[in-house]
Amino acid sequence: MADQNVPPRRPRDDRGWDAPQHPTSDGYRDLDAAATYGPAGHSAPAGYGRPTGYPGGTTTLPPQGAQWVGPDGFGRQGYAPAPAPGLPNLDDDGDHGRRTGRRRALAALGGAAVVAGGAALAMTPQVRALFRDDPVAGDATGTVVTDGTAARPSGQQPSTVRTYTEQNESYMGSRAGAALKRNSPTGGRIFDGPAAAAAATRVTVRTVLAKDPVRHLASRATFGATPKVLADLKRLGIDGWIRWQLDPEKIAPTKAELKLAELPTLKLTPQQLRDQRDQLNERGAQPERETVDATIARQIWSDRQLFEVMVDFWNDFLHVAADFDGGEIYRNSFDREVIRKHALGSYPEMLMAANRHPALLLYLNQVDSRKDAVNENLARENLELYSVGVDGGYTEKDVRQAALLQTGRGVADGRYVFHADRHYVGKVKILGFSHPNSSADPKAADAVIDRYLAYLALHPSTARYVAQSLATRFVSDTPPKSLVDRLAKTYATNQGLIKPVLMTLFSSSEFWAAVGQKVRRPMEYLVATYRTLGVRPEACPGFAGDNRRTPYAQGLRQIQDKMRELGQYPMGKPTPDGYADVYVAWTSAGTMVDGWNEAGDLLGGWRKQFTYTAPEKLVANPPSTAGAYVDALARRLVHQKLSAKEKALVLGVAGVPATAKVDATFNGAIAAVARTILASPQHHLR
């Protein structure tokens, strides 16, 4: 389960890489050291990358036969004889299978849990033969009931018995979620293009946001409208702007993106990061955190805004946390070679690339999975999170067969490898995918896994799950079924290509009717605040910084630290389910106040690593009366006028009536007035 597959986390600090990070002498885990298990009672070799869940420095190894490593970790005890010929007994719950609810489990994890628990299994003679010198093909498709407890029912979909709940759905089952559903559009139709859909759609939902399609598109397809974005939209038109954004390679990098060269690890390969570890450590570089820094910079300053929104979407959908044991070496590469490479391309290609990348293989312990010790973490999340979803029709038996099929994939010398001697050979059937999987040839066996992943990526349930997730991100916390069906059909028709799905979304009336139906999450609020205030990436005059990092690099790190305080930052969720994308998951008064305080700091220009527009200069030629000035400042910051009630509240902060005469500083209250506008619903909604 996603909330329990938390890779073990080593203690660390922010000084660099100088603390021991891996059990091997060179500071890196020997990813190819999964030695063959010895007889019972023997200890694991020194430096061995032990399976999750074994404490201490030695490991008592089990008797001959395969073991299963699932969400609860590696087996502790309990070796029962096989009940019948065919498959091994795969029940690994027993007394150690107790589970907590997703919410309670995450609280207990505290963001750094070590997967532990479970029990073991005994092998039938047929499957045990796989591990002799001369292996024979097995058959994992038998009809023998191989698992099944109240917690993990065999032969049933997890969603049917509510063993698991899809993350956004779990939040929307609340009273607040029900209220949101009542104010959501319920249906719609598709038009010839986005502009035609925008022109023909009438907004009927209750909202404080202006029912302006240009502002609506700027709020949903970027990390926050700015005067430049709105000007580009009006100049290019809705259709032209979307076509421009869907071709990000032709959009020139901004000055802030060019300044990313000041992050020394950003373009280094995993091998270069390993080779240059000492030098980078002396400079205070932390590769996994610099990946996050760069993402934040692009969200704030890149003109490729729709691309960056999609990068963030995939970072939640196909999630690999930045802060995991191995993230300092591999997360940057995963960002470049998997997420960014395919963000507007093909999801089947993205899923296959992810499953060959060391970051994901390490993150979900696939490097430890072998035919005689099967770790099911990646196999489970490929189904539950990365493809068909918890409602997609898979069963526990599918998870186990997928785990068998995926054995052999690993990492050695910092690169993806396929270990044929660790791969299960034998027939599998997973969610309708059937294959003899009879070849021991590495290329052939590896290709079967790719065929399975491509099958998953194009499964009808995956089409619907991707469609539901995109509609939730761009349209509403409770997107209309009509839209989800339409997006799923486009996804299937176009074999998982993303651009056609986005064009269908923007050409649908449901998108344009959903004004004000999304609330910014903490990270989105902060980024939108930087954008609307026009913060620039150059340091304030006279700011010197230090000798280790440039002012720009320091400033990005400070933004990241603030996001960590708010509870959301790029690639930040420790578990593989990514961040929830619905409002009720983020209802926290403390987080809102913390965000408002950051807005106040930006208005005061306290982060000297950047350059700011003085609050009294946000509006050119400001009106001389307080009421008119609030109107002008609201149009500048939230791109519309406030309601009469909201305007009165803002004037109350300044302590003046609407007719009072004010100067450009609002008689000294301009920062407080601007901060109050940034605390309004108009800035929190997108």
Side-chain angles (χ1 to χ4, degrees):
M1 294 176 4
D3 60 343
Q4 301 198 17
N5 283 346
V6 184
R9 191 77 182 108
R10 65 182 178 276
R12 66 182 303 166
D13 56 31
D14 289 335
R15 294 176 300 160
W17 303 352
D18 30 16
Q21 298 183 7
H22 301 274
T24 51
S25 59
D26 69 347
Y28 294 93
R29 178 181 178 191
D30 183 357
L31 304 175
D32 198 28
T36 302
Y37 290 99
H42 286 209
S43 298
Y48 168 64
R50 294 184 302 278
T52 305
Y54 279 126
T58 62
T59 299
T60 300
L61 297 176
Q64 181 181 2
Q67 304 173 76
W68 287 86
V69 189
D72 289 328
F74 212 70
R76 291 177 182 163
Q77 60 184 7
Y79 297 89
L87 267 160
N89 186 324
L90 305 184
D91 181 6
D92 70 349
D93 286 298
D95 293 336
H96 303 287
R98 296 185 295 273
R99 299 182 184 278
T100 60
R102 188 164 288 220
R103 225 48 71 230
R104 188 170 57 193
L106 289 179
L109 290 172
V114 175
V115 181
L121 93 144
M123 301 292 289
T124 65
Q126 179 189 21
V127 179
R128 262 199 303 270
L130 291 170
F131 314 126
R132 296 196 299 260
D133 292 337
D134 183 22
V136 296
D139 184 351
T141 65
T143 59
V144 176
V145 176
T146 59
D147 60 358
T149 68
R152 301 175 71 180
S154 176
Q156 297 184 56
Q157 299 180 38
S159 60
T160 302
V161 293
R162 310 321 301 167
T163 307
Y164 319 114
T165 303
E166 196 277 325
Q167 179 172 229
N168 288 334
E169 177 190 345
S170 71
Y171 286 108
M172 294 307 293
S174 64
R175 182 181 299 178
L180 289 173
K181 292 177 184 178
R182 289 194 294 270
N183 191 43
S184 298
T186 57
R189 52 169 290 201
I190 191 169
F191 290 82
D192 290 338
T201 301
R202 181 168 170 259
V203 179
T204 60
V205 294
R206 290 172 289 128
T207 179
V208 299
L209 292 190
K211 297 175 180 180
D212 172 10
V214 169
R215 186 195 186 283
H216 177 62
L217 180 60
S219 296
R220 296 293 174 86
T222 78
F223 277 96
T226 65
K228 182 183 184 303
V229 168
L230 296 173
D232 287 340
L233 264 165
K234 292 175 181 177
R235 173 174 56 86
L236 297 171
I238 288 174
D239 287 348
W241 186 85
I242 290 175
R243 285 195 301 269
W244 179 57
Q245 288 290 306
L246 287 175
D247 198 3
E249 295 83 3
K250 295 182 180 179
I251 301 176
T254 61
K255 290 182 179 179
E257 289 176 288
L258 295 175
K259 284 176 69 65
L260 291 175
E262 297 176 22
L263 304 181
T265 68
L266 202 58
K267 292 186 177 181
L268 298 183
T269 66
Q271 188 59 52
Q272 288 172 324
L273 288 170
R274 297 177 70 168
D275 293 343
Q276 299 178 33
R277 179 182 189 272
D278 292 339
Q279 303 94 300
L280 292 169
N281 191 57
E282 291 175 3
R283 299 170 63 179
Q286 294 172 281
E288 76 282 17
R289 298 201 71 183
E290 288 194 352
T291 302
V292 177
D293 294 337
T295 302
I296 294 169
R298 289 164 173 145
Q299 290 176 354
I300 296 173
W301 288 297
S302 177
D303 286 338
R304 302 163 178 149
Q305 279 291 295
L306 180 55
F307 175 74
E308 291 301 326
V309 169
M310 288 303 298
V311 166
D312 184 62
F313 170 82
W314 292 120
N315 270 329
D316 279 338
F317 189 93
L318 185 51
H319 179 64
V320 173
D323 294 319
F324 80 97
D325 193 356
E328 69 282 359
I329 299 298
Y330 299 106
R331 191 53 182 82
N332 199 347
S333 172
F334 189 83
D335 185 61
R336 290 193 308 266
E337 298 169 11
V338 177
I339 300 297
R340 292 182 175 276
K341 181 176 180 180
H342 300 288
L344 289 175
S346 161
Y347 183 61
E349 291 182 7
M350 180 188 290
L351 183 62
M352 287 189 288
N355 272 265
R356 285 174 172 267
H357 197 281
L360 185 61
L361 298 176
L362 276 165
Y363 180 55
L364 289 179
N365 311 108
Q366 187 63 30
V367 294
D368 297 322
S369 187
R370 49 192 298 152
K371 60 190 179 184
D372 55 344
V374 185
N375 187 302
E376 69 177 46
N377 288 355
L378 180 56
R380 179 177 298 280
E381 305 309 359
N382 273 332
L383 289 160
E384 180 181 343
L385 297 177
Y386 305 153
S387 65
V388 300
V390 71
D391 295 311
Y394 71 90
T395 68
E396 287 296 313
K397 187 175 179 180
D398 292 315
V399 172
R400 300 306 179 86
Q401 293 187 59
L404 285 168
L405 175 63
Q406 292 176 218
T407 52
R409 292 197 160 187
V411 181
D413 297 325
R415 298 177 182 177
Y416 170 75
V417 295
F418 186 82
H419 300 286
D421 60 325
R422 303 178 189 177
H423 176 64
Y424 166 82
V425 176
K427 185 178 179 181
V428 293
K429 186 175 182 180
I430 309 155
L431 199 65
F433 174 85
S434 181
H435 199 281
N437 184 38
S438 57
S439 176
D441 176 73
K443 289 185 178 179
D446 204 16
V448 174
I449 302 174
D450 275 344
R451 287 181 61 182
Y452 160 67
L453 293 169
Y455 170 85
L456 279 189
L458 295 176
H459 193 279
S461 294
T462 303
R464 184 164 189 84
Y465 189 39
V466 172
Q468 178 80 26
S469 301
L470 282 169
T472 301
R473 172 62 62 99
F474 282 94
V475 177
S476 165
D477 289 0
T478 57
K481 180 179 182 298
S482 58
L483 176 63
V484 174
D485 290 344
R486 197 178 303 127
L487 298 181
K489 182 178 179 180
T490 301
Y491 179 97
T493 300
N494 290 275
Q495 298 290 291
L497 293 177
I498 302 305
K499 287 183 182 181
V501 179
L502 290 176
M503 282 301 295
T504 296
L505 186 150
F506 293 131
S507 299
S508 297
S509 61
E510 293 94 334
F511 172 79
W512 300 98
V515 175
Q517 298 301 294
K518 291 296 296 182
V519 180
R520 284 180 170 135
R521 299 177 294 177
M523 178 185 78
E524 296 164 350
Y525 175 87
L526 204 65
V527 170
T529 302
Y530 272 80
R531 287 175 59 77
T532 200
L533 288 175
V535 178
R536 299 185 295 282
E538 298 80 19
C540 287
F543 182 80
D546 59 36
N547 295 326
R548 303 186 80 187
R549 287 183 291 168
T550 67
Y552 182 56
Q554 290 180 38
L556 291 173
R557 185 61 50 82
Q558 287 191 11
I559 300 175
Q560 181 184 156
D561 289 342
K562 173 55 68 174
M563 288 181 176
R564 287 173 180 259
E565 290 178 22
L566 295 175
Q568 186 195 16
Y569 60 96
M571 299 158 266
K573 186 80 178 289
T575 51
D577 47 348
Y579 289 115
D581 204 5
V582 293
Y583 161 68
V584 291
W586 300 98
T587 52
S588 166
T591 297
M592 292 177 69
V593 171
D594 208 3
W596 300 342
N597 289 338
E598 178 70 4
D601 288 347
L602 298 182
L603 287 161
W606 295 115
R607 297 197 190 285
K608 301 299 183 182
Q609 297 91 344
F610 303 124
T611 300
Y612 307 84
T613 300
E616 62 269 20
K617 294 183 179 180
L618 287 168
V619 175
N621 303 314
S624 59
T625 59
Y629 198 165
V630 169
D631 288 339
L633 191 59
R635 284 193 295 269
R636 169 63 182 80
L637 295 179
V638 296
H639 319 294
Q640 67 174 82
K641 292 176 65 175
L642 303 179
S643 68
K645 181 179 180 180
E646 291 159 346
K647 183 176 176 179
L649 290 172
V650 174
L651 290 168
V653 169
V656 297
T659 56
K661 294 289 185 180
V662 293
D663 60 15
T665 70
F666 218 101
N667 297 345
I670 184 61
V673 169
R675 179 172 178 252
T676 304
I677 292 173
L678 293 174
S680 70
Q682 285 81 350
H683 190 55
H684 277 282
L685 294 171
R686 62 173 179 88

